[in-house]
């Protein structure tokens, strides 16, 4: 199975900060990588697909990059509504696997 | 508007069975793979399994933690995906979400989730 390792597992940041979350795959997954945002008690929401494609309706301050084994999610300027938990998911091979999550909190 | 609505959750004793349903609307159900993802209380997301559309044989894939106990099926005439859960364990307690898609469509839409509690 492919292991997805997210870092950091938690972080605190301020409004307006630039934030980067990393996801590393234990083997190459091409660009079959998606990023999801989940707020407490809510349904996960897809932000990025195919590593770098922005989901329709998602603000342009979110961006993704990477291919192979290393991927990043960047929020260019944190907004209050961005404080949430973020998950990466590889869907290159079965079983699909999520990262353990990154909890982004207000500093 | 795409909608996915899960149902069938509840309290069940260990060793018993439960069947979840995911009723879809707003898109051509038969064109898409459908998947289940779960989230135990206070934990992260865990991929459970997927069923391909009929063009790809309607075949299934599962996580190791549920393989042999859970079965995903679909009824394209009713636009419903099912998750049959047998031999339930306390560690299967989670909110179960259905999601749409395979390939780059994966996870573009999610249902609201249904809570399954396995406890004596």
């Amino acid at each position: 199975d492919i292991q997805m390792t997210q870092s950091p597992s938690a972080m605190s940041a301020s409004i307006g900060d630039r934030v980067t979350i990393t996801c590393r795959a234990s083997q190459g997954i091409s660009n079959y990588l998606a990023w999801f945002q989940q707020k407490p008690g809510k349904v996960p929401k897809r932000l990025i697909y195919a590593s770098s494609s922005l989901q329709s309706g998602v603000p342009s301050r979110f961006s993704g990059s990477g291919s192979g084994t290393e991927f990043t999610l960047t929020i260019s300027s944190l907004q209050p509504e961005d404080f949430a938990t973020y998950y990466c998911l590889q869907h290159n091979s079965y079983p699909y696997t999520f990262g353990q999550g990154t909890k982004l909190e207000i500093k | 508007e795409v909608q996915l609505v899960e149902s069938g959750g509840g309290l069940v004793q260990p060793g018993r069975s439960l069947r979840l349903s995911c009723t879809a609307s707003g898109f051509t159900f038969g064109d898409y793979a459908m998947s289940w993802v779960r989230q135990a209380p206070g934990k992260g997301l865990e991929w459970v399994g997927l069923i391909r559309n009929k063009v790809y044989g309607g075949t299934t894939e599962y996580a190791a933690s549920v393989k042999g106990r859970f079965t995903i099926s679909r009824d394209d005439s009713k636009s419903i995906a099912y998750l049959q859960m047998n031999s339930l364990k306390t560690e299967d307690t989670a909110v179960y979400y259905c999601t749409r898609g395979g390939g780059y469509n994966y996870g573009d839409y999610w249902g609201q989730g249904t809570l399954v509690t396995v406890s004596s």
Side-chain angles (χ1 to χ4, degrees):
Chain A
D1 297 1
I2 297 176
Q3 309 303 316
M4 303 300 293
T5 303
Q6 267 184 253
S7 60
S9 54
M11 64 182 299
S12 59
S14 301
I15 302 302
D17 282 355
R18 181 182 181 90
V19 167
T20 297
I21 298 169
T22 297
C23 203
R24 288 187 174 87
S26 60
Q27 56 187 273
I29 59 169
S30 184
N31 68 337
Y32 288 94
L33 190 286
W35 290 96
F36 297 87
Q37 176 194 65
Q38 187 180 33
K39 298 179 181 179
K42 300 298 186 181
V43 177
K45 173 186 174 182
R46 192 172 75 166
L47 303 175
I48 300 287
Y49 64 97
S51 176
S52 60
S53 295
L54 190 67
Q55 178 71 32
S56 176
V58 172
S60 59
R61 63 181 179 273
F62 290 92
S63 64
S65 65
S67 183
T69 61
E70 188 152 339
F71 302 85
T72 59
L73 172 70
T74 299
I75 310 171
S76 60
S77 178
L78 267 177
Q79 299 302 301
E81 60 269 29
D82 299 337
F83 292 94
T85 300
Y86 293 85
Y87 296 93
C88 63
L89 167 78
Q90 72 81 19
H91 56 102
N92 177 75
S93 61
Y94 298 105
Y96 292 175
T97 42
F98 286 92
Q100 79 277 18
T102 296
K103 187 173 184 179
L104 178 55
E105 297 177 311
I106 301 174
K107 185 182 286 184
Chain B
E1 178 192 7
V2 172
Q3 284 196 318
L4 300 172
V5 179
E6 300 94 337
S7 59
L11 175 64
V12 61
Q13 293 179 326
R16 303 298 291 265
S17 298
L18 201 63
R19 188 178 80 162
L20 307 182
S21 299
C22 171
T23 303
S25 60
F27 65 101
T28 304
F29 182 77
D31 288 350
Y32 289 83
M34 296 298 295
S35 176
W36 291 90
V37 172
R38 68 183 180 181
Q39 186 169 38
K43 302 297 184 183
L45 300 171
E46 180 186 13
W47 185 79
V48 171
L50 171 146
I51 185 165
R52 298 176 179 88
N53 64 16
K54 290 295 193 289
V55 170
Y56 290 93
T59 52
T60 53
E61 304 284 348
Y62 298 97
S65 58
V66 306
K67 199 168 187 177
R69 299 188 299 124
F70 289 13
T71 301
I72 301 173
S73 61
R74 62 190 297 155
D75 184 337
D76 290 354
S77 68
K78 296 180 179 178
S79 297
I80 300 176
Y82 299 101
L83 178 64
Q84 177 68 42
M85 304 184 292
N86 298 333
S87 305
L88 281 160
K89 306 175 181 180
T90 55
E91 52 264 42
D92 294 320
T93 293
V95 174
Y96 284 75
Y97 298 100
C98 70
T99 71
R100 187 181 82 159
Y104 292 124
N105 290 313
Y106 189 85
D108 58 353
Y109 289 94
W110 294 59
Q112 84 289 349
T114 187
L115 176 63
V116 173
T117 303
V118 185
S119 174
S120 54

